[in-house]
Amino acid sequence: EVQLVESGGGLVKPGGSLRLSCAASGFTFTSYSMNWVRQAPGKGLEWVSSISSSSSYIYYADSVKGRLTISRDNAKNSLYLQMNSLRAEDTAVYYCAREKNWGGFDLWGRGTLVTVSS
Amino acid sequence: EIVLTQSPGTLSLSPGERATLSCRASQSVSSNYLAWYQQKPGQAPRLLIYGASSRATGIPDRFSGSGSGTDFTLTISRLEPEDFAVYYCQQYGSSPRTFGQGTKVEIK
């Protein structure tokens, strides 16, 4: 089955760290760029970061630059988001999403909730 | 950064009616790399339209996209009960890959 499954979310204190994972299956992971998108409770979608298939190109939203780090392990078909110096405004459901070549985000995981609170 | 502004914020319509959603970009979207997504409560977004007008796999033909440059439209020709949801546009031609704020299509 073609799917993405996120894990690693939870409750963390402000200033803390968390590492999210996204396991891909059912497709050739190495053929796709991947993204993280988040959604704060009751709010819209916010693109967070993207990484190309070979990790050559990496981009971040200004709101997370310097605190969140995207990476991937193609041997493990996995995408990661290392989250440091977390703030209350980082509270959101984090989705990983596959990027169809110049065709939008065509496959999404179910998301994992990150709550930053003391 | 390209800012996408969607209108209206909420659209109140009845099943069977036509829905027209707008997405305006603050600058021209590269190669019309504009997508539309549908999101229902508690679910992940679903890709409907990419490249401004191409339907994604499995999307019914009552969904259509049009536009170019800075003005884009998503049209649902006849609303089905399952179409009541929030719709987002997104540009993916440049980074950051920004989303619009969403249009909620609700039952009148």
Side-chain angles (χ1 to χ4, degrees):
Chain A
E1 182 184 359
V2 176
Q3 64 178 355
L4 298 169
V5 179
E6 302 94 338
S7 60
L11 175 63
V12 61
K13 288 181 168 52
S17 298
L18 213 54
R19 189 194 195 206
L20 305 185
S21 299
C22 172
S25 59
F27 65 96
T28 304
F29 185 66
T30 53
S31 295
Y32 295 89
S33 293
M34 297 295 295
N35 294 263
W36 288 100
V37 176
R38 69 184 181 184
Q39 186 168 35
K43 302 297 184 183
L45 301 172
E46 180 188 14
W47 172 81
V48 172
S49 182
S50 68
I51 185 168
S52 62
S53 56
S54 60
S55 304
S56 298
Y57 300 97
I58 289 175
Y59 302 98
Y60 297 99
D62 286 346
S63 58
V64 306
K65 210 171 286 185
R67 301 186 301 115
L68 274 56
T69 302
I70 192 171
S71 63
R72 64 191 291 164
D73 185 336
N74 286 343
K76 294 183 177 179
N77 289 341
S78 293
L79 175 72
Y80 305 101
L81 187 66
Q82 177 65 44
M83 310 173 72
N84 298 331
S85 303
L86 283 164
R87 307 167 179 167
E89 54 265 35
D90 295 317
T91 294
V93 173
Y94 284 74
Y95 296 101
C96 66
R98 183 179 79 175
E99 185 164 350
K100 180 179 163 76
N101 286 340
W102 303 115
F105 297 179
D106 69 333
L107 179 67
W108 295 66
R110 289 187 159 189
T112 186
L113 176 62
V114 173
T115 303
V116 184
S117 175
S118 54
Chain B
E1 171 177 330
I2 297 178
V3 176
L4 299 178
T5 302
Q6 293 186 238
S7 61
T10 303
L11 203 48
S12 299
L13 295 168
S14 300
E17 289 194 292
R18 181 184 187 93
T20 303
L21 288 66
S22 174
C23 177
R24 179 162 290 178
S26 59
Q27 55 188 281
S28 186
V29 175
S30 173
S31 301
N32 291 333
Y33 288 144
L34 192 286
W36 290 93
Y37 300 86
Q38 177 193 67
Q39 188 179 34
K40 297 179 181 178
Q43 295 185 16
R46 176 173 73 144
L47 178 66
L48 299 175
I49 301 288
Y50 65 93
S53 60
S54 297
R55 268 188 302 275
T57 304
I59 301 304
D61 61 7
R62 64 180 180 272
F63 291 93
S64 63
S66 63
S68 64
T70 60
D71 288 295
F72 300 89
T73 301
L74 174 70
T75 301
I76 311 171
S77 58
R78 287 178 56 86
L79 282 164
E80 298 287 342
E82 62 268 28
D83 298 337
F84 291 92
V86 180
Y87 293 83
Y88 296 94
C89 60
Q90 180 212 23
Q91 68 80 23
Y92 54 93
S94 62
S95 284
R97 284 153 162 64
T98 44
F99 288 91
Q101 81 278 19
T103 289
K104 182 179 182 181
V105 178
E106 65 176 23
I107 300 176
K108 186 173 181 180

